[in-house]
Amino acid sequence: MNWLAEIIKHSPALIVAVPLLGAFLTPLVGMINEKVRNIFALVMISITGFFIALLASDVYANGPRIYVFGAQNLALPVVRILFEVDSLSIFMAIVTFILAFVALVYSWSFMKENDGLDKYYTLVLLLVTSTLGMELTGDIFNFFVFLEISCISSCALIAFWVHKGEALEAAFKYIVISSIGALFVLFAIGIFYAQYNALNIATLANVIQFTFLDKIALVLLVVVLGMKAGLVPMHMWLPDSYGQAPPSVTIVIIGATQASLYGVFRMCFTLYSGAFKNVVISESTIGLIIIMLAILTILIGVLMALIQTDFRRLIGFVAVAEIGYIFLTIGVGLVTLHDPNMITVGKTAMNGGIFHIINDCLDIGLLFLSAGAIYYATKETSLNEMGGLARNMKYTTIFFLIGLLAVSGIPPMNGFASKLLIYQSTYQLNPIISIVAILASIMLLAIFVKVFYSAFLGPKISKFENVKEVPKSMLIGMGVFACIIIFFGLFPNIVIHHLVEPAVNVLMNNAQYISAVLGGV
Amino acid sequence: MIYNIPFIAVVAMIFIGLYAVVFRRNLIKMVIGITIIECGVNLFLITLGYREGGVAPIYTSLPEGTQYPSEMVLPVPQALTLTSIVIGVAVLALMLSLVMHIYKQYGTLDVRKIRRLKE
């Protein structure tokens, strides 16, 4: 099995290289035939998935894996770019792969009638590349480069329907916000380099002092990555972009958003946790600020979703609220990080948070896909115009129902499992937080019952008489999500034990991450 | 004091750029503001690269008696800046093409009039 070990050794690089190669080969392959091009894109993603699976099995068995680009024997750790793959990175890579695969399957029929699809597939694969790169890299400057690539490609995808003024407006808003954000990340990187002469996350985490400049860098990083993830008060771009991008890409953009969220986890827990150890007060202050913002995010997301009439914009605001739940766990984790009495609370919260990342992607993704299916069948986005669609679109109705139950945390679905962990841990910290979180969840259910009633139930509307069920590939895409949602809902223990807990252990104990780089290379 | 001038310039450029993005109504001027911020950040990186008494890391033209490699300056900030400039050009081109399309659709570059997306 020598060749297998060799493949696993190189798979961190291959995971990024394969979709990148695929992205730029797609226009060439597209010259042959449309069908061949679609198959080619799917094959490229599947190969990436194969490498991710191989690497995942290795990382879960043997701990973090390092991949160094160039200069193998040089003594200076500064000048090399290296990928560091631990259980958290590989967990995020799995999430990204699921989203990208489903997006490509779904696009097969959804985007069929558009032109410029060569570029569409190129951009989707490029976005996947950048997301995976952000998740696997162990170098902070490399993180910035992938952040910019994801910013450029997702902006181009949001504006894919250029004939719509709204899409252009959303895309411009997105690129202004994310390019300024990325520049501030670069500024923070400059601050690190000025003080420690290093760009490697593990090296930095080892020597970080928490000086005044480090505090500025921390604020910049958390604010910018929070903005890219949709934290209130910097959330305004998110419903616009999610609502205006083609629904098949929205789910890939959700993946990119989650990669920024991964950045927040990485910066707070791996990079700064050594520094927090010396300064106990500021750590819980930052945690408390994040908790406040998270509660605001949940409330504003839910309240704004209540008054929306556009289907996809509404789901966009719900996505904002869901991000709030994950930030809540980051805050709880930071508050309890170095408090020996509370550490189990923090661990439960982080389990809930990391588990909620994948649940959020699946639930919101399924809702967007069913909204896209309705748009495909009726060309209608306003909820006031819809009605009685359950008669014509049986499967879409079922999938939407599964999605709405999952997103509002109703027991047999996956959303329940992760939200219960979040409620349970926040209750021990402060009951008010968990009351707000539960209340918001109930309101989500109310919102979606309203949406379900107005779109799918109700009397027959004459103009929808000839509406047909959407093509198979879209149903398959939604079906994959629905199956995973139900599986996770029925067996949350398996997922938490095998995927989530190793990731949380990596976050809670950054010494392992540091020694993997400094000891191993 | 004299060594702090570049840093003052960096802060000034970032704030000028932010002012342009936040308060200017014209899309092109907002794009210019972002470019100014980018130049400020690049200047910051370049300033960090300066080490007193350092030698440029070019092997073929090392001065006599240079201690290798301890006296040579690591060219990391320069590499970062070049990467950042290249990325900046891509973002700039994308933003300008978006502005062009927005002008075609709306017939104006005034942000107050480009408001089809409701709050």
Side-chain angles (χ1 to χ4, degrees), chain A residues 122-201:
Chain A
T122 305
L123 286 170
V124 170
L125 285 173
L126 209 54
L127 184 54
V128 173
T129 311
S130 65
T131 315
L132 289 171
M134 273 164 82
E135 287 155 2
L136 300 187
T137 187
D139 181 284
I140 196 165
F141 183 72
N142 217 292
F143 185 83
F144 161 77
V145 172
F146 284 119
L147 188 74
E148 280 279 20
I149 298 174
S150 94
C151 153
I152 292 171
S153 48
S154 41
C155 169
L157 279 172
I158 292 165
F160 188 73
W161 284 335
V162 262
H163 56 280
K164 286 188 177 172
E166 290 92 340
L168 294 171
E169 207 181 317
F172 191 76
K173 217 183 238 181
Y174 177 81
I175 198 163
V176 166
I177 284 176
S178 51
S179 60
I180 293 178
L183 287 174
F184 280 110
V185 169
L186 186 59
F187 193 76
I189 293 167
I191 290 176
F192 286 136
Y193 187 78
Q195 293 184 91
Y196 306 114
N197 278 332
L199 291 169
N200 189 298
I201 293 179

Side-chain angles (χ1 to χ4, degrees), chain A residues 32-362:
Chain A
I32 306 170
N33 187 336
E34 283 192 3
K35 215 172 208 171
V36 176
R37 176 200 60 208
N38 295 359
I39 292 173
F40 175 75
L42 267 175
V43 166
M44 278 313 203
I45 279 292
S46 310
I47 296 175
T48 317
F50 170 71
F51 287 130
I52 291 176
L54 273 185
L55 191 60
S57 66
D58 180 73
V59 165
Y60 284 124
N62 305 330
R65 195 163 253 283
I66 315 287
Y67 189 85
V68 184
F69 291 90
Q72 294 281 354
N73 301 319
L74 207 63
L76 290 164
V78 204
V79 283
R80 290 176 291 184
I81 289 175
L82 50 81
F83 275 15
E84 170 149 23
V85 189
D86 58 13
S87 6
L88 179 64
S89 323
I90 204 73
F91 173 80
M92 295 302 298
I94 293 170
V95 174
T96 313
F97 164 70
I98 295 173
L99 290 173
F101 185 77
V102 169
L104 285 182
V105 172
Y106 187 88
S107 310
W108 188 301
S109 355
F110 185 81
M111 299 301 287
K112 212 170 193 172
E113 287 148 22
N114 297 273
D115 3 321
L117 282 188
D118 293 344
K119 286 149 206 145
Y120 171 83
Y121 280 103
T122 305
L123 286 170
V124 170
L125 285 173
L126 209 54
L127 184 54
V128 173
T129 311
S130 65
T131 315
L132 289 171
M134 273 164 82
E135 287 155 2
L136 300 187
T137 187
D139 181 284
I140 196 165
F141 183 72
N142 217 292
F143 185 83
F144 161 77
V145 172
F146 284 119
L147 188 74
E148 280 279 20
I149 298 174
S150 94
C151 153
I152 292 171
S153 48
S154 41
C155 169
L157 279 172
I158 292 165
F160 188 73
W161 284 335
V162 262
H163 56 280
K164 286 188 177 172
E166 290 92 340
L168 294 171
E169 207 181 317
F172 191 76
K173 217 183 238 181
Y174 177 81
I175 198 163
V176 166
I177 284 176
S178 51
S179 60
I180 293 178
L183 287 174
F184 280 110
V185 169
L186 186 59
F187 193 76
I189 293 167
I191 290 176
F192 286 136
Y193 187 78
Q195 293 184 91
Y196 306 114
N197 278 332
L199 291 169
N200 189 298
I201 293 179
T203 317
L204 283 173
N206 199 28
V207 294
I208 203 155
Q209 299 295 326
F210 215 53
T211 57
F212 177 68
L213 283 174
D214 286 340
K215 286 179 193 166
I216 294 179
L218 175 67
V219 170
L220 284 177
L221 286 171
V222 169
V223 166
V224 167
L225 294 173
M227 178 164 83
K228 294 270 294 178
L231 185 68
V232 167
M234 297 87 72
H235 68 290
M236 63 291 176
W237 63 270
L238 193 142
D240 292 349
S241 343
Y242 281 15
Q244 297 306 326
S248 50
V249 241
T250 308
I251 60 171
V252 190
I253 299 176
I254 291 177
T257 314
Q258 304 291 353
S260 307
L261 203 58
Y262 157 83
V264 180
F265 271 106
R266 190 53 97 201
M267 298 308 159
C268 288
F269 288 97
T270 305
L271 186 54
Y272 273 92
S273 94
F276 286 149
K277 210 170 274 174
N278 310 326
V279 204
V280 182
I281 305 162
S282 57
E283 149 208 337
S284 36
T285 318
I286 289 168
L288 287 177
I289 293 171
I290 290 181
I291 289 178
M292 300 278 215
L293 286 176
I295 291 176
L296 262 182
T297 312
I298 296 174
L299 285 179
I300 289 180
V302 170
L303 291 178
M304 290 299 288
L306 264 178
I307 56 171
Q308 298 301 319
T309 53
D310 184 294
F311 201 167
R312 278 185 281 150
R313 237 177 115 72
L314 184 145
I315 304 174
F317 276 108
V318 174
V320 173
E322 293 286 298
I323 291 289
Y325 283 98
I326 304 171
F327 267 102
L328 196 57
T329 65
I330 298 182
V332 174
L334 278 179
V335 169
T336 58
L337 188 58
H338 292 301
D339 187 348
N341 305 322
M342 299 287 280
I343 192 80
T344 46
V345 175
K347 235 177 191 158
T348 322
M350 300 281 286
N351 275 338
I354 300 280
F355 192 17
H356 203 66
I357 287 182
I358 190 165
N359 290 346
D360 170 42
C361 291
L362 294 170

